[in-house]
Amino acid sequence: MPLSSLQVAFLGPPASFSHQAAAESFRRATADLVPHVSFADAFAAVQRGDADYAVIPFENSTNGSVVQTLDLLADRNDLYKDVKVCGEYYLTVHHCLVVRKGSYPGGLPSYDGSITKLYTHPQAWGQCDMFLSRYFKGVERQDVSSTSKGAEIVAKDTAEQGGAIASRFAAEYHGNGILAENIEDRSDNTTRFLILRNIQSLRTGEGYHQSLSIPPYLSAPAPAPASDPAPGQPQSETTHKTLISFSINHSSPGALASALLIFKAQGLNLTSINTRPSLKRAWQYIFFVECGRQPSNENKDAVLKALNDLRMVAESCRDLGTWRDQLGAETLQDV
Amino acid sequence: MPLSSLQVAFLGPPASFSHQAAAESFRRATADLVPHVSFADAFAAVQRGDADYAVIPFENSTNGSVVQTLDLLADRNDLYKDVKVCGEYYLTVHHCLVVRKGSYPGGLPSYDGSITKLYTHPQAWGQCDMFLSRYFKGVERQDVSSTSKGAEIVAKDTAEQGGAIASRFAAEYHGNGILAENIEDRSDNTTRFLILRNIQSLRTGEGYHQSLSIPPYLSAPAPAPASDPAPGQPQSETTHKTLISFSINHSSPGALASALLIFKAQGLNLTSINTRPSLKRAWQYIFFVECGRQPSNENKDAVLKALNDLRMVAESCRDLGTWRDQLGAETLQDV
């Protein structure tokens, strides 16, 4: 029986950065990429089983955490109890100055200054400040709801000579020409996306992954090696990351420090901490702790043990999934 | 020589919630409350000495932390090196349905349904959903830049019968009438404001506070008691809170847990943690740790010791100030 295509939810509109992240994450699979208008819609699609996966922004290297994603992961009303993280994808944000196809064939060196209006998402203006100051000083700017929308307007409008700041992905999607590439001030502006799946779904289990040649970081964590490596040698090149949420009783002194100590006791390295209001009581928080480990025989139960210990001190506690790190410890030091 | 009035910066426009928080915090002092158009302007005014204090939102019990404030406290470019926190103020957000003065003298019981348009900040619609569904179903809504702006429009416009969702403070400021009070769905929606001062300023030192009868939480922490209280008795009713920012080398396993352990080792109870991107390297963070202690002879050097120990493990570390808790441990348990 042939398998139907994977359904992958992303945060719309089409040609958004989430779309690009989904396309690149699932480039080796046969997948239908489906736009969703809100974060909650994408979570709900995975919970219902309408989507096999969802690709959701989690944090940006410049702007920080995406609170909408944290609030849905907090799942205060138990709406998404089967949704877990199974992978991550780092997308570096590169902007282009896109135009109508066929205009300015000589490119930027012969650009004649005839663009009269620029379109993009409000955040992108500031990210391309140096380029805009040099080539488009004084040109009218119009905010639009997404960089993709700006590319679309410019591609369709023949009445004016417009330009848009958008990704190469959006330019190709809407059929734009590209006047200049990599026009962003900082070349390291990167968004990390989480890839979510429904843990009850057979379609997203390990065997299914392998039959479709999905990138390895989408499959379940590799089993620990059968025998120990030589002393001093790393046991695995890939760090496994785990996301855990918990809430504690703040009136108990030292409760948060005790909870965080549990990770250290199990050899789990804390790589990020986020907090959101619990909404049960004012000034009580839900903590999101991301921790990493180099998988080995010794620590194969580390996450389970940490969860068990956490349940002793936390008011609530939830395992939000484990996946393979795509950044890598070496990269982390060098970035 | 008479002292000139205190200058207190708040985040504008006039009659904003920051204005209200500033007015209530400094109600016992002779103070000029001065609106500032941005968070950065208010910080800069304190650093330059143009303002003695600034009142800045730090977190909301529903929406969480205010990232603009965290980014300014992070002070990545050393612009605000003398700005420290010296107090806090909790403002519970109560909304009113405000109208032009003199309209609807019979109040809500005799309201005839003649309001044709409502104005408020986008966030306030959702906070008053039940009241609006009951009394104003189908009435046109217009977003405005602040709740105060909506009250101002309704007070001035005689051509239409308008209503606005705004605070009693804004209604009194703009001279509105009030059709209904406490129309918010949740009565516990509270914003915590931080009070900032310039540590180089003589005008905001302890002596100056006392001469002006400023609320005690604006003055420097009380000295530790000269002798120990009876065993089992709390040594002070007021917790002292301290805010510390630091960054660590993430490539060193356990570095974050070790940093947090330092607070526990000094008997400092962690009450909040926030993170923001360092902007030096991707996926490196600045941590903001808020910790509390009941002042005693034993722990009078706890913050200094913690800072010293942190400097051994952190790449950078900064004391952002100590102040008296206004919530109180008892309240915290009961909220």
Side-chain angles (χ1 to χ4, degrees), chain B residues 20-307:
Chain B
Q20 183 178 352
E24 295 182 7
S25 307
F26 287 86
R27 65 190 176 281
R28 282 184 269 168
T30 306
D32 295 332
L33 309 181
V34 185
H36 285 68
V37 294
S38 72
F39 289 76
D41 283 344
F43 269 71
V46 174
Q47 176 63 37
R48 283 195 311 267
D50 295 349
D52 295 302
Y53 296 99
V55 178
I56 299 287
F58 184 62
E59 64 174 332
N60 175 273
S61 63
T62 305
N63 298 321
S65 300
V66 179
V67 294
Q68 294 99 317
T69 299
L70 292 173
D71 278 340
L72 287 161
L73 289 170
D75 195 19
R76 300 179 184 91
N77 300 313
D78 286 327
L79 297 175
Y80 315 115
K81 61 186 179 55
D82 299 319
V83 177
K84 281 200 186 189
V85 185
C86 65
E88 65 178 16
Y89 187 77
Y90 289 87
L91 181 73
T92 302
V93 175
H94 292 296
H95 289 302
C96 302
L97 199 291
V98 313
V99 291
R100 200 165 56 247
K101 197 162 195 104
S103 46
Y104 311 112
L108 200 60
S110 61
Y111 170 63
D112 58 0
S114 57
I115 286 175
T116 54
K117 198 168 180 181
L118 292 176
Y119 299 84
T120 200
H121 186 272
Q123 210 163 57
W125 300 120
Q127 293 174 0
C128 304
D129 195 47
M130 289 190 290
F131 175 84
L132 293 174
S133 303
R134 182 163 174 198
Y135 294 101
F136 293 93
K137 211 175 175 71
V139 175
E140 184 188 353
R141 295 180 181 188
Q142 183 163 329
D143 291 349
V144 286
S145 56
S146 67
T147 54
S148 171
K149 184 74 191 169
E152 185 185 4
I153 290 171
V154 165
K156 287 182 176 168
D157 193 348
T158 52
E160 65 170 13
Q161 202 58 265
I165 298 171
S167 65
R168 166 171 277 281
F169 185 83
E172 288 171 358
Y173 185 90
H174 292 297
N176 297 96
I178 292 177
L179 183 61
E181 270 197 280
N182 301 330
I183 63 171
E184 64 277 358
D185 294 349
R186 288 183 74 117
S187 59
D188 64 349
N189 184 17
T190 303
T191 299
R192 176 156 70 122
F193 291 84
L194 296 182
I195 298 168
L196 310 175
R197 73 175 189 104
N198 185 316
I199 51 165
Q200 303 295 341
S201 162
L202 295 175
R203 282 169 59 93
T204 60
E206 192 167 10
Y208 189 76
H209 279 300
Q210 287 169 352
S211 73
L212 285 171
S213 305
I214 293 178
Y217 54 88
L218 286 181
S219 64
S227 61
D228 288 352
Q233 291 295 306
Q235 302 197 325
S236 161
E237 288 182 9
T238 309
T239 298
H240 287 182
K241 284 180 182 168
T242 300
L243 185 63
I244 291 170
S245 67
F246 62 89
S247 62
I248 50 167
N249 184 347
H250 280 272
S251 59
S252 159
L256 177 57
S258 300
L260 295 172
L261 256 184
I262 289 168
F263 293 89
K264 188 185 169 86
Q266 295 298 339
L268 297 165
N269 188 24
L270 304 188
T271 54
S272 83
I273 292 188
N274 282 284
T275 61
R276 291 295 295 154
S278 74
L279 301 189
K280 283 185 186 166
R281 282 170 290 180
W283 323 119
Q284 301 265 322
Y285 306 95
I286 297 172
F287 294 87
F288 297 88
V289 166
E290 205 181 348
C291 56
R293 67 188 176 99
Q294 298 276 336
S296 70
N297 260 338
E298 287 70 36
N299 70 17
K300 66 184 189 316
D301 297 325
V303 170
L304 275 178
K305 286 181 183 164
L307 284 163

Side-chain angles (χ1 to χ4, degrees), chain A residues 61-74:
Chain A
S61 60
T62 306
N63 299 321
S65 300
V66 179
V67 293
Q68 296 99 317
T69 298
L70 292 173
D71 278 340
L72 288 160
L73 288 170

Side-chain angles (χ1 to χ4, degrees), chain A residues 59-327:
Chain A
E59 63 175 332
N60 176 273
S61 60
T62 306
N63 299 321
S65 300
V66 179
V67 293
Q68 296 99 317
T69 298
L70 292 173
D71 278 340
L72 288 160
L73 288 170
D75 195 19
R76 300 179 183 90
N77 300 314
D78 286 328
L79 296 174
Y80 314 115
K81 62 186 178 56
D82 300 318
V83 176
K84 280 201 185 189
V85 184
C86 66
E88 66 179 13
Y89 187 77
Y90 289 87
L91 180 74
T92 303
V93 175
H94 293 296
H95 289 302
C96 303
L97 197 292
V98 312
V99 291
R100 198 164 60 248
K101 200 165 194 100
S103 45
Y104 310 112
L108 198 60
S110 60
Y111 171 62
D112 59 359
S114 57
I115 287 174
T116 55
K117 197 169 181 181
L118 292 177
Y119 299 85
T120 201
H121 186 274
Q123 212 164 57
W125 301 121
Q127 293 175 357
C128 304
D129 194 46
M130 289 191 289
F131 175 84
L132 293 174
S133 303
R134 182 163 174 195
Y135 293 101
F136 293 93
K137 209 172 177 74
V139 176
E140 184 188 352
R141 296 179 181 190
Q142 183 163 330
D143 290 350
V144 287
S145 57
S146 67
T147 54
S148 171
K149 184 74 190 170
E152 185 185 3
I153 290 171
V154 166
K156 286 181 178 168
D157 193 346
T158 52
E160 66 171 13
Q161 202 58 265
I165 297 170
S167 64
R168 166 170 277 281
F169 186 82
E172 288 171 357
Y173 185 90
H174 292 297
N176 295 96
I178 292 177
L179 183 60
E181 270 198 279
N182 301 329
I183 63 170
E184 65 278 356
D185 293 349
R186 287 183 72 116
S187 59
D188 63 350
N189 184 18
T190 302
T191 300
R192 176 157 68 125
F193 291 84
L194 296 181
I195 299 168
L196 310 175
R197 73 177 189 104
N198 186 316
I199 53 167
Q200 303 294 341
S201 161
L202 296 176
R203 283 169 57 93
T204 60
E206 193 169 8
Y208 189 74
H209 278 299
Q210 288 169 349
S211 74
L212 285 171
S213 306
I214 292 178
Y217 54 85
L218 287 179
S219 63
S227 61
D228 288 352
Q233 291 295 305
Q235 302 197 325
S236 160
E237 288 182 8
T238 309
T239 299
H240 287 182
K241 285 181 182 166
T242 299
L243 185 64
I244 291 171
S245 68
F246 62 89
S247 62
I248 52 167
N249 184 346
H250 280 271
S251 58
S252 160
L256 176 57
S258 301
L260 294 173
L261 256 185
I262 289 168
F263 292 90
K264 189 185 169 84
Q266 294 299 338
L268 297 166
N269 187 26
L270 305 187
T271 54
S272 85
I273 292 187
N274 283 284
T275 61
R276 292 294 296 154
S278 73
L279 301 189
K280 284 185 184 166
R281 281 170 292 180
W283 322 120
Q284 301 266 322
Y285 306 94
I286 298 173
F287 294 87
F288 298 88
V289 166
E290 203 181 347
C291 56
R293 66 186 175 100
Q294 298 275 336
S296 70
N297 260 338
E298 287 70 35
N299 71 15
K300 65 186 190 317
D301 297 325
V303 170
L304 276 177
K305 286 180 183 166
L307 285 163
N308 279 337
D309 291 350
L310 262 178
R311 288 195 179 96
M312 311 284 276
V313 300
E315 290 191 335
S316 65
C317 171
R318 180 160 161 186
D319 172 13
L320 288 165
T322 295
W323 65 95
R324 295 188 191 185
D325 179 27
Q326 294 303 306
L327 200 57

Side-chain angles (χ1 to χ4, degrees), chain A residues 45-62:
Chain A
V46 173
Q47 177 62 38
R48 283 196 312 267
D50 293 349
D52 295 303
Y53 297 99
V55 177
I56 300 287
F58 184 62
E59 63 175 332
N60 176 273
S61 60
T62 306

